[in-house]
Amino acid sequence: SSQAALSVEKYIVDKQVRMEDLALNPSIVNGDHAARLSALQQSKAQSSDLAMTAFIEPNGKGFSHKDEAVDRGGRDYFKYVMQTGEPCMTGTMVSGTTKQLITLFAYPVKNNGATIGLIYGTVNLGTLSDMAGGFKFMQTGYVYIVDEDGLCIGYKQQPDYVGKVNLTKPDGNIKLDQRLIDGFNEAIQSDQQCSEYYTTPEGIDSKAVFTPVHLEGRRWVAISTAPLAEIEETSTTLLK
């Protein structure tokens, strides 16, 4: 799960760098509506995972890369960026348009040190399932990703879990072993890799390794899990 955590960190940092570059783009800082629109469209075109880019004025009103009017004055991320002049990454949420899980990166647009607005990009999180699913743990084990609130946001082997299963709620849609929940909580609170033995909803005794994913202002967890029988078999083989 350490490799998976690093891959996710790299993926998110790449999106953050793109948004930071966009906020510094002279067409965004000094341009008129047409120049800013063009910059938004170019940034969106450079990354297929960006669902939307937008420029917002200090009054909360702005426009997207499709030149559609938006009003974000009431959003917490808008208030935070305008008040602090610092970037913001939101928690995981469901897109009102695509109904897919997304996260949002907002960056201040500054001119001579003064915050004159902000740009933001929403990132589809569907890629996380494929990214985590590319890693193996033992023979049949796998890796999945949950956000800091316990929500499953990337799980290739169990796509129905994404956006629905929460590791802070043992009696949710799918009943979870309390030991799995305890392991997640320990990883979040200690900010250290840890492991826990537990039983899956299918009744398989397993081991999970929890690895924190460090993001700017956020912390997700990559969870590697495999049947205990495979782990014990590997240990026995090594001792022979």
Side-chain angles (χ1 to χ4, degrees):
S1 59
S2 296
Q3 286 182 312
L6 289 173
S7 294
V8 172
E9 288 174 15
K10 183 176 181 298
Y11 172 78
I12 294 298
V13 167
D14 175 71
K15 302 300 177 285
Q16 292 173 323
V17 169
R18 287 180 183 275
M19 289 298 98
E20 185 175 21
D21 287 346
L22 180 60
L24 296 172
N25 188 319
S27 294
I28 292 290
V29 176
N30 300 308
D32 57 13
H33 182 99
R36 285 170 170 161
L37 178 62
S38 177
L40 292 175
Q41 291 172 339
Q42 289 176 22
S43 181
K44 167 71 174 67
Q46 289 170 356
S47 179
S48 60
D49 297 327
L50 276 177
M52 176 182 180
T53 54
F55 173 81
I56 309 296
E57 301 275 3
N59 62 5
K61 299 183 186 302
F63 55 92
S64 73
H65 69 279
K66 293 182 177 180
D67 204 16
E68 296 172 340
V70 295
D71 188 343
R72 299 293 185 260
R75 303 295 174 90
D76 288 341
Y77 64 81
F78 170 80
K79 297 173 183 177
Y80 176 85
V81 173
M82 293 305 298
Q83 289 171 5
T84 67
E86 297 293 328
C88 174
M89 176 183 175
T90 69
T92 308
M93 53 190 167
V94 177
S95 167
T97 53
T98 66
K99 306 304 179 186
Q100 301 296 311
L101 284 179
I102 61 170
T103 189
L104 181 149
F105 304 106
Y107 277 77
V109 177
K110 297 185 178 183
N111 194 349
N112 295 324
T115 301
I116 61 169
L118 65 85
I119 56 91
Y120 72 78
T122 57
V123 178
N124 288 322
L125 295 181
T127 304
L128 291 180
S129 288
D130 291 333
M131 188 180 301
F135 292 91
K136 287 187 176 182
F137 186 39
M138 298 297 163
Q139 285 76 43
T140 65
Y142 43 79
V143 181
Y144 61 101
I145 310 295
V146 297
D147 70 10
E148 61 205 46
D149 297 319
L151 184 68
C152 179
I153 58 175
Y155 202 156
K156 187 170 185 177
Q157 289 76 11
Q158 299 280 8
D160 291 343
Y161 282 29
V162 176
K164 298 175 184 175
V165 171
N166 192 309
L167 264 65
T168 64
K169 299 177 180 178
D171 297 316
N173 297 329
I174 297 172
K175 190 169 180 60
L176 303 175
D177 190 323
Q178 183 62 45
R179 293 173 294 176
L180 183 68
I181 294 167
D182 291 343
F184 166 76
N185 288 330
E186 181 182 345
I188 287 292
Q189 292 166 11
S190 70
D191 196 26
Q192 299 289 327
Q193 186 182 76
C194 61
S195 62
E196 190 70 67
Y197 295 100
Y198 77 107
T199 303
T200 71
E202 296 77 26
I204 302 171
D205 290 334
S206 301
K207 180 180 181 179
V209 179
F210 306 82
T211 304
V213 180
H214 298 107
L215 307 171
E216 188 174 320
R218 299 282 165 186
R219 187 182 304 139
W220 295 348
V221 178
I223 303 175
S224 303
T225 181
L228 194 54
E230 287 185 9
I231 296 172
E232 290 175 342
E233 181 182 350
T234 301
S235 299
T236 302
T237 302
L238 290 174
L239 289 172
K240 287 182 178 179

